[in-house]
Amino acid sequence: MVSEIRLYSESEFQEKAQQYSAVLFSRGVQVSMVQVEKLNARFLRLNPELALCVDGSGLWLCASGMKMQPDWVAEVPRLKRASLKSELIARACNLSEKPVLVDATAGLGHDSLLMACLGARVTLVERHPVLFSLLEDSLNRAKEDAYLSQVTASIQLVFSDSAEYLKQLNDQNQTVDVVYLDPMFPQRDQNQQAVKKQAQVKKQMQLLHMLLPEDGEMDLGDALLPLAKQIAKRVVVKRPRLAVFLNNESTTYQWSGDACRFDAYFQPGL
């Protein structure tokens, strides 16, 4: 877990940088603020270490000349094209019934944004303070967008360890309609005969992998599945098409696409 990180900003964004720094500090991250003359591609190439940056687009992560931001506003064209019939995830999560849904592996939040757009009431749970702060910034910016303002009304962010959050719901005898899991590092258990070499992960995911070292995340999905099944009528797991079952548990039902599939586990008694 990152406990210290640099935060770059140009002079005109120093006040915003200070605000982000205070929020991150409250979440256990020591921030070293650095004012730079120009926060451009050349600067990023010359400063390859993992860091945060602040500019007019908000808070984002950078490393090795790459940059990453959840940027929910950029998802609007996709959301406008989406429908309950066209999206595999909508069928897997039964979004036509407008479920109460917990996304226990938030990532960049794009799947949750789509599910909220298609009718779900979504709680995103994220334990990493930097990633949570990036998601929070994207949510706040999305609230100011004319199209997304209604969608974000159905989204709640929770800063918590997902396992602890699910255990707490169970202890309180609370149930939800759906728990959604999209483990960060499924490539460890790919069918090695069918997939001998992984394609390079796109830039945003490369930066997420740098922020969230695999050592601490590898078995997160396996540990969450049995917890999720205790409190959800339906648990949906997003997997690469050829990956083995999460936690080696056979699925109740499955929806498959070209690149990924959705494994569903039903608990009708809840």
Side-chain angles (χ1 to χ4, degrees):
M1 190 76 72
V2 173
S3 59
E4 185 173 353
I5 196 166
R6 286 188 179 181
L7 178 62
Y8 296 121
S9 67
E10 298 173 11
S11 58
E12 63 179 304
F13 300 112
Q14 277 291 288
E15 184 176 345
K16 288 179 64 176
Q18 290 173 353
Q19 293 171 355
Y20 288 123
S21 177
V23 169
L24 285 160
F25 181 77
S26 72
R27 292 171 181 156
V29 180
Q30 185 69 44
V31 178
S32 301
M33 292 179 54
V34 181
Q35 184 175 321
V36 301
E37 184 176 340
K38 198 69 176 174
L39 196 55
N40 53 22
R42 182 175 184 273
F43 175 84
L44 296 181
R45 288 195 302 271
L46 295 175
N47 295 271
E49 74 280 0
L50 190 70
L52 287 167
C53 300
V54 178
D55 62 10
S57 68
L59 184 70
W60 41 280
L61 193 70
C62 68
S64 303
M66 301 180 291
K67 58 188 294 186
M68 183 276 282
Q69 184 181 43
D71 195 3
W72 289 3
V73 176
E75 293 292 298
V76 168
R78 179 196 178 198
L79 300 181
K80 288 183 176 180
R81 294 191 304 268
S83 70
L84 291 171
K85 289 184 178 180
S86 67
E87 296 290 341
L88 214 58
I89 195 173
R91 282 174 270 164
C93 295
N94 200 24
L95 298 186
S96 62
E97 296 296 319
K98 302 187 183 303
V100 174
L101 185 149
V102 173
D103 184 346
T105 50
L108 298 178
H110 294 164
D111 282 349
S112 279
L113 185 65
L114 174 64
M115 291 188 285
C117 182
L118 293 176
R121 285 180 287 160
V122 182
T123 298
L124 287 90
V125 185
E126 178 53 54
R127 66 179 179 175
H128 195 287
V130 172
L131 183 53
F132 181 86
S133 298
L134 289 165
L135 287 167
E136 184 179 54
D137 186 57
S138 288
L139 174 61
N140 290 336
R141 297 177 72 80
K143 288 178 180 179
E144 299 173 358
D145 180 85
Y147 180 81
L148 290 177
S149 58
Q150 293 184 347
V151 178
T152 55
S154 299
I155 296 176
Q156 177 187 16
L157 284 178
V158 173
F159 181 42
S160 172
D161 177 86
S162 293
E164 292 301 321
Y165 183 79
L166 296 178
K167 288 176 184 176
Q168 183 179 26
L169 291 181
N170 188 43
D171 290 344
Q172 296 171 353
N173 293 316
Q174 295 187 44
T175 60
V176 297
D177 297 312
V178 182
V179 170
Y180 179 73
L181 302 175
D182 180 8
M184 274 285 297
F185 299 98
Q187 59 265 49
R188 67 181 171 85
D189 58 8
Q190 289 275 16
N191 183 323
Q192 294 301 313
Q193 293 181 345
V195 181
K196 293 186 178 180
K197 188 173 182 180
Q198 293 294 317
Q200 186 180 33
V201 182
K202 60 184 180 179
K203 290 182 179 180
Q204 286 193 332
M205 293 308 295
Q206 287 183 52
L207 285 175
L208 265 188
H209 283 209
M210 294 173 69
L211 180 67
L212 307 172
E214 189 168 349
D215 288 348
E217 301 289 327
M218 277 184 64
D219 298 318
L220 176 61
D222 288 346
L224 290 178
L225 181 56
L227 294 173
K229 290 170 72 174
Q230 293 177 12
I231 58 105
K233 300 172 185 175
R234 176 184 300 220
V235 181
V236 176
V237 182
K238 184 178 182 180
R239 304 294 282 160
R241 189 172 62 88
L242 299 173
V244 300
F245 292 125
L246 194 64
N247 203 37
N248 292 317
E249 294 188 36
S250 298
T251 182
T252 309
Y253 199 82
Q254 190 175 88
W255 290 262
S256 293
D258 293 335
C260 70
R261 70 173 198 263
F262 295 93
D263 297 341
Y265 302 83
F266 300 147
Q267 284 73 236
L270 288 179

